[in-house]
Amino acid sequence: MRKIIFIGPVGATEKMASGDSIKNYFVINRIKEHAGKLLVIDTNIYRKSLLKIIQMLFILVLNRKARYVVSASSGGAYKMLRLMRMLGIHDIIYWVVGGDAPHLICSEVLDIDVYRNVRKIIVEGKSMQETMRITGFKDVTVLPNFKKITYIPPKSFQRQNGRCRFVFLSRVTEDKGCGYITEAVRLLNERGLENAFCVDFYGSLLDDYKDTFLSGLADLPNAEYKGFLKLLDPGNYNHLASYDAMLFPTFFYGEGFAGIFIDAMIAGLPVIATEWNVNRDVVEEGQTGLFVPPRRAKPLADAMQYLIEHPEKVEEMGKIAQSRCMDYSADHVVTDAFLEGLGL
Protein backbone atom coordinates (compact mmCIF):
# COMPACT_ATOMS: atom_id res chain seq x y z
CA MET A 1 0.00 0.00 0.00
CA ARG A 2 1.20 3.48 -0.83
CA LYS A 3 2.64 5.47 2.09
CA ILE A 4 0.15 7.95 3.56
CA ILE A 5 1.41 11.25 4.96
CA PHE A 6 -0.78 13.69 6.88
CA ILE A 7 0.19 17.38 7.00
CA GLY A 8 -1.49 19.89 9.28
CA PRO A 9 -1.62 21.32 12.80
CA VAL A 10 -2.33 18.71 15.44
CA GLY A 11 -1.15 19.39 19.00
CA ALA A 12 -3.96 17.44 20.68
CA THR A 13 -3.53 18.67 24.22
CA GLU A 14 -6.09 19.49 26.88
CA LYS A 15 -5.92 23.13 25.84
CA MET A 16 -6.10 22.94 22.07
CA ALA A 17 -6.95 26.47 21.01
CA SER A 18 -7.70 26.09 17.32
CA GLY A 19 -10.49 24.34 15.50
CA ASP A 20 -8.11 22.88 12.91
CA SER A 21 -6.02 21.17 15.61
CA ILE A 22 -9.12 19.70 17.21
CA LYS A 23 -10.54 18.47 13.90
CA ASN A 24 -7.22 17.01 12.78
CA TYR A 25 -6.94 15.07 16.02
CA PHE A 26 -10.11 13.18 15.03
CA VAL A 27 -9.20 12.94 11.32
CA ILE A 28 -5.83 11.34 12.11
CA ASN A 29 -7.33 8.86 14.56
CA ARG A 30 -9.98 7.82 12.04
CA ILE A 31 -7.42 7.30 9.25
CA LYS A 32 -5.21 5.30 11.63
CA GLU A 33 -8.14 3.11 12.61
CA HIS A 34 -8.70 2.30 8.95
CA ALA A 35 -5.23 2.31 7.39
CA GLY A 36 -3.04 1.42 10.35
CA LYS A 37 0.17 3.27 9.48
CA LEU A 38 0.24 7.04 9.00
CA LEU A 39 3.13 9.49 9.03
CA VAL A 40 2.06 12.78 10.62
CA ILE A 41 3.80 16.09 9.95
CA ASP A 42 2.47 18.38 12.68
CA THR A 43 2.92 21.88 11.29
CA ASN A 44 2.55 23.29 14.81
CA ILE A 45 5.94 21.69 15.50
CA TYR A 46 7.68 21.84 12.12
CA ARG A 47 7.25 25.58 11.62
CA LYS A 48 8.96 26.45 14.92
CA SER A 49 12.58 26.01 13.82
CA LEU A 50 14.70 26.09 10.68
CA LEU A 51 15.96 22.58 11.42
CA LYS A 52 12.39 21.22 11.52
CA ILE A 53 11.51 23.00 8.26
CA ILE A 54 14.55 21.43 6.56
CA GLN A 55 13.55 18.04 7.97
CA MET A 56 10.04 18.46 6.53
CA LEU A 57 11.46 19.39 3.11
CA PHE A 58 13.54 16.20 3.11
CA ILE A 59 10.42 14.16 3.90
CA LEU A 60 8.56 15.76 0.99
CA VAL A 61 11.42 15.33 -1.50
CA LEU A 62 12.01 11.70 -0.54
CA ASN A 63 8.29 10.87 -0.66
CA ARG A 64 7.07 12.49 -3.86
CA LYS A 65 5.05 9.39 -4.75
CA ALA A 66 3.30 9.15 -1.38
CA ARG A 67 -0.38 9.90 -0.87
CA TYR A 68 -0.82 13.13 1.10
CA VAL A 69 -3.65 14.50 3.19
CA VAL A 70 -3.34 18.24 3.80
CA SER A 71 -5.70 19.58 6.45
CA ALA A 72 -5.17 23.15 7.60
CA SER A 73 -6.71 26.62 7.54
CA SER A 74 -6.69 28.43 4.22
CA GLY A 75 -3.42 30.35 4.64
CA GLY A 76 -1.37 27.45 5.95
CA ALA A 77 -2.83 25.00 3.47
CA TYR A 78 -2.15 27.33 0.53
CA LYS A 79 1.54 27.68 1.40
CA MET A 80 1.94 23.93 1.75
CA LEU A 81 0.02 23.11 -1.44
CA ARG A 82 2.06 25.65 -3.40
CA LEU A 83 5.30 24.09 -2.12
CA MET A 84 4.10 20.60 -2.99
CA ARG A 85 3.22 21.71 -6.51
CA MET A 86 6.73 23.12 -6.93
CA LEU A 87 8.17 19.77 -5.78
CA GLY A 88 6.07 17.81 -8.26
CA ILE A 89 3.80 16.19 -5.67
CA HIS A 90 0.34 15.55 -7.10
CA ASP A 91 -1.38 12.80 -5.11
CA ILE A 92 -2.97 15.19 -2.61
CA ILE A 93 -6.27 15.18 -0.75
CA TYR A 94 -7.06 18.67 0.51
CA TRP A 95 -9.30 18.28 3.57
CA VAL A 96 -10.47 21.87 3.94
CA VAL A 97 -10.62 23.31 7.45
CA GLY A 98 -12.70 26.45 7.96
CA GLY A 99 -15.08 28.25 5.64
CA ASP A 100 -13.05 30.91 3.84
CA ALA A 101 -10.91 28.93 1.37
CA PRO A 102 -13.61 28.61 -1.36
CA HIS A 103 -14.30 32.37 -1.26
CA LEU A 104 -10.57 33.19 -1.45
CA ILE A 105 -10.14 30.84 -4.40
CA CYS A 106 -13.26 32.12 -6.18
CA SER A 107 -12.17 35.74 -5.78
CA GLU A 108 -8.68 34.84 -7.07
CA VAL A 109 -7.01 36.06 -3.88
CA LEU A 110 -5.27 32.66 -3.95
CA ASP A 111 -3.70 31.14 -7.10
CA ILE A 112 -6.32 28.76 -8.46
CA ASP A 113 -3.68 26.61 -10.21
CA VAL A 114 -2.32 25.57 -6.83
CA TYR A 115 -5.64 23.86 -6.14
CA ARG A 116 -5.91 22.32 -9.62
CA ASN A 117 -2.85 20.28 -8.61
CA VAL A 118 -4.95 18.61 -5.89
CA ARG A 119 -6.54 15.22 -6.60
CA LYS A 120 -9.49 15.59 -4.23
CA ILE A 121 -11.05 18.46 -2.26
CA ILE A 122 -13.26 17.88 0.78
CA VAL A 123 -15.27 20.78 2.24
CA GLU A 124 -17.46 21.12 5.34
CA GLY A 125 -20.70 22.47 3.88
CA LYS A 126 -22.89 22.58 0.78
CA SER A 127 -22.49 26.34 0.38
CA MET A 128 -18.72 25.82 0.19
CA GLN A 129 -19.18 23.11 -2.42
CA GLU A 130 -21.33 25.44 -4.55
CA THR A 131 -18.72 28.19 -4.39
CA MET A 132 -16.02 25.75 -5.54
CA ARG A 133 -18.22 24.56 -8.40
CA ILE A 134 -18.73 28.13 -9.58
CA THR A 135 -14.95 28.40 -9.74
CA GLY A 136 -14.78 25.30 -11.95
CA PHE A 137 -14.05 22.57 -9.41
CA LYS A 138 -16.56 19.78 -10.06
CA ASP A 139 -15.18 16.94 -7.95
CA VAL A 140 -15.69 18.49 -4.52
CA THR A 141 -17.06 16.33 -1.72
CA VAL A 142 -19.08 17.63 1.24
CA LEU A 143 -18.15 16.02 4.52
CA PRO A 144 -19.40 17.69 7.70
CA ASN A 145 -17.27 18.10 10.76
CA PHE A 146 -17.31 15.13 13.11
CA LYS A 147 -16.10 13.83 16.46
CA LYS A 148 -15.51 10.52 18.15
CA ILE A 149 -18.67 10.30 20.23
CA THR A 150 -18.31 7.77 23.03
CA TYR A 151 -20.77 9.21 25.52
CA ILE A 152 -24.10 11.02 25.43
CA PRO A 153 -24.94 12.60 28.80
CA PRO A 154 -28.35 12.35 30.42
CA LYS A 155 -30.20 15.61 29.94
CA SER A 156 -32.52 17.33 32.37
CA PHE A 157 -34.46 20.36 31.22
CA GLN A 158 -35.25 21.46 34.77
CA ARG A 159 -33.66 24.89 35.18
CA GLN A 160 -31.19 25.36 38.02
CA ASN A 161 -32.48 27.96 40.48
CA GLY A 162 -35.08 28.94 37.90
CA ARG A 163 -32.48 30.57 35.63
CA CYS A 164 -31.78 30.00 31.96
CA ARG A 165 -28.07 29.16 31.81
CA PHE A 166 -26.28 30.09 28.59
CA VAL A 167 -22.80 28.86 27.69
CA PHE A 168 -20.18 30.09 25.22
CA LEU A 169 -17.60 27.46 24.23
CA SER A 170 -14.92 28.58 21.78
CA ARG A 171 -11.88 30.81 21.55
CA VAL A 172 -12.66 33.92 23.57
CA THR A 173 -11.95 36.58 20.95
CA GLU A 174 -13.65 39.62 19.49
CA ASP A 175 -14.49 37.95 16.17
CA LYS A 176 -16.23 35.06 17.93
CA GLY A 177 -18.77 37.65 19.12
CA CYS A 178 -17.84 37.71 22.81
CA GLY A 179 -18.20 41.48 23.04
CA TYR A 180 -21.70 41.28 21.57
CA ILE A 181 -22.61 38.66 24.16
CA THR A 182 -21.59 40.98 27.00
CA GLU A 183 -23.54 43.82 25.37
CA ALA A 184 -26.58 41.56 25.09
CA VAL A 185 -26.26 40.59 28.76
CA ARG A 186 -26.18 44.27 29.68
CA LEU A 187 -29.31 44.95 27.61
CA LEU A 188 -31.17 42.07 29.25
CA ASN A 189 -30.14 43.24 32.70
CA GLU A 190 -31.49 46.68 31.86
CA ARG A 191 -34.78 44.99 30.96
CA GLY A 192 -34.98 43.63 34.50
CA LEU A 193 -33.97 40.05 33.64
CA GLU A 194 -30.71 39.94 35.62
CA ASN A 195 -31.94 37.17 37.93
CA ALA A 196 -33.54 35.15 35.13
CA PHE A 197 -30.37 34.03 33.35
CA CYS A 198 -26.59 33.79 33.39
CA VAL A 199 -23.81 33.34 30.83
CA ASP A 200 -20.60 31.35 31.36
CA PHE A 201 -17.66 31.59 28.96
CA TYR A 202 -15.24 28.71 28.32
CA GLY A 203 -12.24 28.72 25.99
CA SER A 204 -8.76 30.02 25.40
CA LEU A 205 -8.51 33.69 26.34
CA LEU A 206 -5.80 35.31 24.22
CA ASP A 207 -3.57 37.99 25.72
CA ASP A 208 -4.45 40.68 23.14
CA TYR A 209 -8.14 40.45 24.08
CA LYS A 210 -7.92 39.55 27.75
CA ASP A 211 -8.10 43.02 29.28
CA THR A 212 -10.89 44.17 26.97
CA PHE A 213 -12.96 41.07 27.62
CA LEU A 214 -12.53 40.93 31.38
CA SER A 215 -13.26 44.64 31.77
CA GLY A 216 -16.50 44.08 29.85
CA LEU A 217 -17.52 41.45 32.40
CA ALA A 218 -16.62 43.54 35.44
CA ASP A 219 -20.06 45.13 35.93
CA LEU A 220 -22.06 42.04 34.96
CA PRO A 221 -22.92 39.90 38.00
CA ASN A 222 -24.49 37.19 35.85
CA ALA A 223 -21.65 36.69 33.32
CA GLU A 224 -18.39 34.92 34.14
CA TYR A 225 -15.27 33.53 32.49
CA LYS A 226 -14.82 29.92 33.63
CA GLY A 227 -11.55 28.91 31.98
CA PHE A 228 -11.26 25.83 29.78
CA LEU A 229 -13.71 22.92 29.56
CA LYS A 230 -11.79 19.76 28.65
CA LEU A 231 -14.16 17.90 26.37
CA LEU A 232 -11.51 15.35 25.42
CA ASP A 233 -12.68 13.92 28.73
CA PRO A 234 -16.16 12.63 27.76
CA GLY A 235 -17.36 12.97 31.36
CA ASN A 236 -17.24 16.75 31.05
CA TYR A 237 -20.23 16.56 28.74
CA ASN A 238 -22.24 16.05 31.93
CA HIS A 239 -21.26 19.57 32.93
CA LEU A 240 -22.00 20.99 29.48
CA ALA A 241 -25.43 19.34 29.57
CA SER A 242 -26.23 21.24 32.78
CA TYR A 243 -26.64 24.38 30.65
CA ASP A 244 -29.81 25.28 28.77
CA ALA A 245 -28.52 26.81 25.53
CA MET A 246 -25.32 27.71 23.71
CA LEU A 247 -24.31 31.10 22.27
CA PHE A 248 -22.22 31.33 19.11
CA PRO A 249 -22.47 34.84 17.57
CA THR A 250 -19.31 34.42 15.49
CA PHE A 251 -18.20 36.64 12.64
CA PHE A 252 -14.76 35.05 12.31
CA TYR A 253 -13.82 35.23 8.62
CA GLY A 254 -12.42 31.67 8.60
CA GLU A 255 -15.37 30.03 10.34
CA GLY A 256 -16.38 26.67 8.91
CA PHE A 257 -18.42 23.91 10.48
CA ALA A 258 -17.54 24.68 14.10
CA GLY A 259 -17.07 21.60 16.25
CA ILE A 260 -18.96 23.26 19.10
CA PHE A 261 -22.18 22.63 17.16
CA ILE A 262 -21.56 18.90 17.65
CA ASP A 263 -20.75 19.49 21.33
CA ALA A 264 -24.06 21.33 21.70
CA MET A 265 -25.96 18.45 20.10
CA ILE A 266 -24.28 15.88 22.35
CA ALA A 267 -25.25 17.95 25.40
CA GLY A 268 -28.80 18.62 24.17
CA LEU A 269 -28.36 22.39 23.81
CA PRO A 270 -30.07 24.58 21.22
CA VAL A 271 -27.73 27.18 19.76
CA ILE A 272 -28.21 30.88 19.10
CA ALA A 273 -25.89 31.38 16.13
CA THR A 274 -25.15 34.07 13.60
CA GLU A 275 -26.09 33.94 9.93
CA TRP A 276 -22.49 33.34 8.97
CA ASN A 277 -20.64 31.08 6.51
CA VAL A 278 -21.85 27.47 6.85
CA ASN A 279 -23.81 27.87 10.10
CA ARG A 280 -27.05 27.42 8.16
CA ASP A 281 -25.81 24.05 6.94
CA VAL A 282 -25.67 22.84 10.54
CA VAL A 283 -28.32 24.58 12.65
CA GLU A 284 -31.98 24.32 11.65
CA GLU A 285 -34.00 27.40 12.54
CA GLY A 286 -36.60 26.68 15.21
CA GLN A 287 -35.56 23.01 15.39
CA THR A 288 -32.04 22.99 16.82
CA GLY A 289 -31.48 26.71 17.31
CA LEU A 290 -32.13 30.32 16.38
CA PHE A 291 -30.31 32.68 14.03
CA VAL A 292 -29.32 36.31 14.59
CA PRO A 293 -27.46 38.76 12.35
CA PRO A 294 -23.73 39.18 13.06
CA ARG A 295 -22.26 42.14 14.97
CA ARG A 296 -25.57 43.20 16.55
CA ALA A 297 -26.25 42.96 20.28
CA LYS A 298 -29.99 43.72 20.31
CA PRO A 299 -31.15 40.82 18.11
CA LEU A 300 -28.90 38.55 20.17
CA ALA A 301 -30.48 39.85 23.38
CA ASP A 302 -33.96 39.37 21.88
CA ALA A 303 -33.20 35.74 20.98
CA MET A 304 -31.81 35.10 24.46
CA GLN A 305 -34.91 36.65 26.02
CA TYR A 306 -37.11 34.39 23.89
CA LEU A 307 -35.36 31.30 25.29
CA ILE A 308 -35.47 32.72 28.83
CA GLU A 309 -39.22 33.16 28.56
CA HIS A 310 -39.96 29.91 26.65
CA PRO A 311 -38.42 26.95 28.48
CA GLU A 312 -40.71 24.57 26.61
CA LYS A 313 -39.09 25.65 23.32
CA VAL A 314 -35.63 25.17 24.82
CA GLU A 315 -36.60 21.61 25.77
CA GLU A 316 -38.11 20.88 22.37
CA MET A 317 -35.05 22.09 20.46
CA GLY A 318 -32.64 20.48 22.92
CA LYS A 319 -34.24 17.07 22.46
CA ILE A 320 -34.12 17.39 18.67
CA ALA A 321 -30.48 18.48 18.79
CA GLN A 322 -29.40 15.57 21.00
CA SER A 323 -31.29 13.10 18.83
CA ARG A 324 -29.15 14.20 15.85
CA CYS A 325 -25.71 14.13 17.45
CA MET A 326 -24.77 10.66 16.21
CA ASP A 327 -25.17 11.92 12.64
CA TYR A 328 -21.81 13.60 13.27
CA SER A 329 -19.96 10.73 14.92
CA ALA A 330 -16.64 9.83 13.29
CA ASP A 331 -17.73 6.32 12.31
CA HIS A 332 -20.94 7.62 10.72
CA VAL A 333 -19.33 10.48 8.76
CA VAL A 334 -15.90 9.07 7.83
CA THR A 335 -16.93 5.56 6.87
CA ASP A 336 -14.59 2.79 5.78
CA ALA A 337 -16.11 3.01 2.30
CA PHE A 338 -15.37 6.74 2.15
CA LEU A 339 -11.73 6.25 3.18
CA GLU A 340 -11.32 3.38 0.71
CA GLY A 341 -12.68 5.65 -2.03
CA LEU A 342 -9.93 8.14 -1.18
CA GLY A 343 -7.31 5.40 -1.26
CA LEU A 344 -6.69 5.68 2.46
Coordinates of all heavy atoms in Angstrom, one line a residue, residues 62 84 94 120 123 150 214 250:
L62 N 11.8 13.1 -0.5 CA 12.0 11.7 -0.5 C 10.7 10.9 -0.7 O 10.8 9.7 -0.9 CB 12.7 11.3 0.7 CG 14.2 11.8 0.9 CD1 14.7 11.4 2.3 CD2 15.1 11.3 -0.2
M84 N 4.2 22.0 -2.5 CA 4.1 20.6 -3.0 C 4.0 20.6 -4.5 O 4.5 19.7 -5.2 CB 2.9 19.9 -2.3 CG 3.1 19.7 -0.8 SD 1.6 19.1 0.0 CE 1.7 17.4 -0.4
Y94 N -7.0 17.4 -0.3 CA -7.1 18.7 0.5 C -8.3 18.6 1.3 O -9.4 18.8 0.8 CB -7.0 19.9 -0.4 CG -7.2 21.2 0.3 CD1 -6.8 21.4 1.6 CD2 -7.8 22.3 -0.4 CE1 -6.9 22.6 2.3 CE2 -7.9 23.5 0.3 CZ -7.5 23.7 1.6 OH -7.7 24.9 2.2
K120 N -8.2 15.6 -4.8 CA -9.5 15.6 -4.2 C -9.6 16.7 -3.2 O -8.7 17.0 -2.4 CB -9.7 14.2 -3.5 CG -11.1 14.1 -3.0 CD -12.2 13.8 -4.1 CE -13.5 13.5 -3.5 NZ -14.5 13.3 -4.6
V123 N -14.8 19.6 1.5 CA -15.3 20.8 2.2 C -16.3 20.4 3.3 O -16.9 19.3 3.3 CB -15.8 21.8 1.3 CG1 -14.7 22.3 0.3 CG2 -17.0 21.3 0.5
T150 N -18.3 9.0 22.2 CA -18.3 7.8 23.0 C -19.3 7.9 24.2 O -19.5 6.9 24.9 CB -16.9 7.5 23.6 OG1 -16.5 8.6 24.4 CG2 -15.9 7.3 22.5
L214 N -12.3 41.0 29.9 CA -12.5 40.9 31.4 C -13.1 42.2 31.9 O -13.9 42.2 32.8 CB -11.2 40.6 32.1 CG -10.7 39.1 31.9 CD1 -9.4 38.9 32.6 CD2 -11.8 38.1 32.2
T250 N -20.6 34.2 16.2 CA -19.3 34.4 15.5 C -19.4 35.3 14.2 O -20.5 35.3 13.6 CB -18.7 33.1 15.1 OG1 -17.4 33.3 14.5 CG2 -19.6 32.3 14.1

